[in-house]
Amino acid sequence: MYKEEFELAKKISLDVGSFLTTQLEKKIDSEDGKDIKLELDKKSEELIINEIEKFFDYPILSEECGLTKDLKGDEPFWIVDPIDGSLNFSRDNPTSCISIALWMDKEPIFGVIYDFNRDELCSGYVGVGAWLNEKPIIKQNAKEKSQSILATGFPTYMMDDEKTIRQFITNVQEYKKIRMIGSAALSLAYVASGRFDAYMEEDIKLWDVAAGIAIAHEVGLNIDTVFTEDYCITLLVHNFIQ
């Protein structure tokens, strides 16, 4: 039903990713606490939104500009993160990506994550399939939790008081290894493709994980979500034996 939108999302991701790989100047637009914004965050977002709006008038929820118009429960809306992993990108750490998803209410329709550093396009269309560079993603055999690699992080919006940190340590110490790569979208793509076994994060923004949730859903991973205020979500996606 949304095949044209899906194909457009993939094309936009590839085009904007190609643009970003040519940009040598990565000027910081603002820094607020642990957060960083680049001029290229806004430029990438502008390119994505302009291209979407040429063809579709659904609302768009994006990291930089917020919501373009009011959401309706009976129509889809786009969710965009123009550069997930901006700090990595600003320092030429090749762990960043473009994330574009289409959702209806609180359910994903499809998601596209483009790792422009490695030229890897990870996509998933709920009820149709999931792919890495057009090759179908096959769900990996589940491992014991004690043998699993967990991807996680400290989102900008998470509390960093002692109680929260202690709870975080309790939650992660059962895994074999912990990885923090600085991109929630890529972390989820890696779980879907079997490079990691689980992703967990509290109070992360929906645009960071919307595309990854769609892909994980189609691969058949276990997904636990709690939606809170201001488009925040607490999320566990995994493929370990419970």
Side-chain angles (χ1 to χ4, degrees), residues 9-10 14 51-52 65 67 74-75 98 114 120 141 143 150 154 167 176 192 228:
K10 290 191 288 184
L14 292 170
E51 197 64 24
I52 287 174
C65 74
L67 192 61
D74 60 348
E75 73 172 354
I98 294 166
Y114 182 46
E120 289 188 344
N141 293 329
K143 297 180 176 64
L150 170 70
F154 293 101
Q167 184 61 51
K176 186 177 183 67
T228 54

Side-chain angles (χ1 to χ4, degrees), residues 70-89:
D70 291 341
L71 298 178
K72 298 179 181 178
D74 60 348
E75 73 172 354
F77 66 102
W78 298 91
I79 307 177
V80 173
D81 192 341
I83 304 176
D84 187 46
S86 296
L87 182 57
N88 289 342
F89 180 67

Side-chain angles (χ1 to χ4, degrees), residues 54-69:
K54 287 181 183 178
F55 302 96
F56 301 101
D57 62 356
Y58 309 140
I60 302 171
L61 174 64
S62 185
E63 178 173 12
E64 305 307 320
C65 74
L67 192 61
T68 59
K69 61 181 180 179

Side-chain angles (χ1 to χ4, degrees), residues 148-185:
S148 297
I149 299 173
L150 170 70
T152 188
F154 293 101
T156 303
Y157 312 95
M158 191 180 87
M159 300 292 290
D160 58 1
D161 58 281
E162 183 177 350
K163 181 180 178 181
T164 302
I165 298 301
R166 285 182 181 274
Q167 184 61 51
F168 173 83
I169 293 171
T170 299
N171 290 340
V172 304
Q173 62 187 166
E174 296 181 63
Y175 295 87
K176 186 177 183 67
K177 293 289 183 180
I178 310 300
R179 298 288 180 259
M180 295 185 181
I181 65 173
S183 168

Side-chain angles (χ1 to χ4, degrees), residues 60-224:
I60 302 171
L61 174 64
S62 185
E63 178 173 12
E64 305 307 320
C65 74
L67 192 61
T68 59
K69 61 181 180 179
D70 291 341
L71 298 178
K72 298 179 181 178
D74 60 348
E75 73 172 354
F77 66 102
W78 298 91
I79 307 177
V80 173
D81 192 341
I83 304 176
D84 187 46
S86 296
L87 182 57
N88 289 342
F89 180 67
S90 72
R91 299 193 183 187
D92 296 324
N93 177 336
T95 313
S96 53
C97 64
I98 294 166
S99 175
I100 302 175
L102 191 71
W103 280 45
M104 179 88 75
D105 195 14
K106 293 183 178 180
E107 296 294 330
I109 298 171
F110 66 70
V112 174
I113 296 170
Y114 182 46
D115 179 351
F116 48 84
N117 297 290
R118 298 176 180 82
D119 193 25
E120 289 188 344
L121 183 69
C122 191
S123 60
Y125 194 127
V126 174
V128 179
W131 305 267
L132 179 59
N133 284 348
E134 305 304 323
K135 182 179 179 180
I137 298 174
I138 307 300
K139 182 182 178 183
Q140 302 294 306
N141 293 329
K143 297 180 176 64
E144 296 287 344
K145 192 174 184 180
S146 63
Q147 297 301 309
S148 297
I149 299 173
L150 170 70
T152 188
F154 293 101
T156 303
Y157 312 95
M158 191 180 87
M159 300 292 290
D160 58 1
D161 58 281
E162 183 177 350
K163 181 180 178 181
T164 302
I165 298 301
R166 285 182 181 274
Q167 184 61 51
F168 173 83
I169 293 171
T170 299
N171 290 340
V172 304
Q173 62 187 166
E174 296 181 63
Y175 295 87
K176 186 177 183 67
K177 293 289 183 180
I178 310 300
R179 298 288 180 259
M180 295 185 181
I181 65 173
S183 168
L186 274 184
S187 294
L188 283 166
Y190 287 0
V191 175
S193 61
R195 295 171 183 174
F196 297 152
D197 304 294
Y199 169 83
M200 177 179 67
E201 209 148 334
E202 294 187 10
D203 292 325
I204 191 164
K205 289 295 189 180
L206 183 57
W207 48 72
D208 292 313
V209 296
I213 290 173
I215 298 166
H217 185 287
E218 187 51 32
V219 173
L221 304 183
N222 297 291
I223 304 173
D224 297 322

